[in-house]
Structures are given as structure tokens and as C-alpha cells.
Amino acid sequence: MTLSFFDQFMSPTLFGIPLIALALTLPWILFPKPSSRWLNNRVLALQSWFINGFAQQIFQPINLGGHKWAALLTSLMIFLITINMLGLLPYTFTPTTQLSMNMAFAVPLWLATVIIGMRNQPTHALAHLLPEGTPTPLIPILIMIETISLFIRPLALGVRLTANLTAGHLLIQLIATAALVLLPVMPTVAILTGALLLMLTLLEVAVAMIQAYVFVLLLSLYLQENV
């Protein structure tokens, strides 16, 4: 039976039931639970330090009205990092390689930022569609371009996350397959290929964290424009 390299991105099923919901739910079990003790253990202290540092860095440029989003965006950041990192383990499935799921995250959150801007400061929100000092003949063209760029934002969010994770998983599988094929024929080249695979895996760990951070960072920038 010949398997395609893209079979790893198929949603797993059991008795015809998609298991993507299970893949999205189980990572929450790995998070340490908060306790009522005065002194926490090292894991909880590290988790609190990470959350506080991330929230402070993201929401420092945003005024107080946007701080209501702190819990939502911080939870989304931790959730995406956990899913991306678990997807690098063997025989696991990465839900964030599915464009439909990433768009389900991107579109509602982007739309919420736009609605907040239109409700709170409609003049300022609409002013983004037309830069100041634009010549009169270019006004219709620039309004069309800015409107298209506005509606492309959620698509760019979803496609960026999907493309980066998919490309990384494909590269890991290609290099691992090459190392296995070369091992009985050219062991030296296979060892060098394995070393390359190790470095690529470390790079993908960094990419998994960075892409989750970029996803939330861009959402915070969209929020900053509209709050």
C-alpha cells in the first residue's frame, strides 16, 4: 500500500467518527491546575511567569478597553502552542494544519475587532480605508484596495499558520524518509541526513511557538486599531 506524504494531514477517524474534537480537547488535560496554596510548585510558577510576561508584552500598547481580551488571547496563545508542539510527536495529529480550523479561529476574532471599531469609533475605523491627503482621482481606487486588504486579514492569519506548519511537517517526513532509504546504501550520508533532521526538528519546535505567537500578536494589532 503506497501512502502519500499528505496522508498525515488527514483528520483521524475511529469507526467513521472524526477524532479532531478529541485532539482539540485532550491538550487541556496537560495543563497544571491552579491551587489555593500560598506557595506554588515550580511548574505553576513558570506558567504564571509566562502568562504574565506575555499579557504584559501584548497588551501594554493597548488602552484599557482592550484589556478585556487578555484572558481570551492568552488562552488562545497557550492552546495553539500546546497543539503545535504535540503535533511534532510521532503518531500524532496536528489540528492546526487544517485550514478550516484556523479560519474558524481567525474569522470570528477578526470580525469581533472590526465590529468593536465600528461600534465605538466608526469615524476612526472608516478613516483607515482612505489615507489622509489622497488625491481626488485616486480615492475610489484606494478605498477598494484598503477594503480588500481588510477582508484578506483573516485569510492571511489562517493561511500563514497552516502553511508554516504543513511545510515543516512535510520537510521532516521527506528528510526522515530519505534517511531511512539511504541507511543500507550509504550509511555516512544517512547519518548526516539524520543530523539534518534533528536540526530541522529543533527549528520546527521554534516555528510551532513563533507561529502561535504571531497569530495572537496580529490579532492584538487589529484590536489596537479598533479600540
Side-chain angles (χ1 to χ4, degrees):
M1 179 180 179
T2 304
L3 295 178
S4 170
F5 284 125
F6 290 93
D7 286 343
Q8 60 176 317
F9 304 117
M10 295 176 59
S11 178
T13 58
L14 180 65
F15 304 118
I17 303 173
L19 298 181
I20 187 170
L22 191 63
L24 292 174
T25 307
L26 287 181
W28 293 106
I29 302 175
L30 302 177
F31 300 147
K33 304 296 186 295
S35 65
S36 58
R37 297 178 180 176
W38 285 7
L39 294 177
N40 295 323
N41 56 28
R42 291 183 177 87
V43 177
L44 280 176
L46 182 63
Q47 181 185 15
S48 300
W49 172 82
F50 172 76
I51 292 175
N52 292 335
F54 169 76
Q56 182 178 3
Q57 182 179 6
I58 290 292
F59 291 95
Q60 190 173 6
I62 304 177
N63 58 26
L64 293 178
H67 290 185
K68 301 173 184 177
W69 288 58
L72 174 62
L73 293 186
T74 304
S75 302
L76 179 62
M77 167 80 170
I78 297 173
F79 183 60
L80 290 178
I81 286 181
T82 306
I83 288 178
N84 294 348
M85 297 287 287
L86 290 177
L88 294 173
L89 297 176
Y91 302 104
T92 56
F93 172 68
T94 313
T96 43
T97 56
Q98 306 295 312
L99 181 60
S100 57
M101 199 199 81
N102 294 335
M103 293 299 294
F105 281 133
V107 173
L109 294 174
W110 163 83
L111 187 60
T113 61
V114 174
I115 292 175
I116 288 175
M118 291 294 184
R119 186 188 64 179
N120 295 341
Q121 41 187 6
T123 304
H124 182 71
L126 292 175
H128 288 296
L129 301 179
L130 185 63
E132 188 177 355
T134 304
T136 305
L138 296 179
I139 288 178
I141 299 175
L142 281 179
I143 290 178
M144 291 175 57
I145 293 174
E146 292 297 329
T147 304
I148 293 173
S149 67
L150 177 66
F151 283 98
I152 282 178
R153 284 180 174 182
L155 181 63
L157 278 176
V159 170
R160 180 186 295 109
L161 183 59
T162 304
N164 281 282
L165 295 179
T166 302
H169 284 65
L170 281 176
L171 277 175
I172 288 177
Q173 185 172 3
L174 285 170
I175 295 178
T177 304
L180 288 176
V181 171
L182 291 173
L183 187 59
V185 182
M186 292 180 286
T188 306
V189 180
I191 293 174
L192 294 176
T193 307
L196 178 62
L197 177 63
L198 177 61
M199 291 187 290
L200 180 62
T201 304
L202 296 177
L203 176 64
E204 283 305 310
V205 171
V207 168
M209 294 186 288
I210 291 172
Q211 288 304 317
Y213 175 75
V214 169
F215 189 90
V216 177
L217 177 63
L218 289 176
L219 281 174
S220 70
L221 293 178
Y222 301 157
L223 179 65
Q224 183 180 353
E225 287 182 0
N226 294 283
V227 173

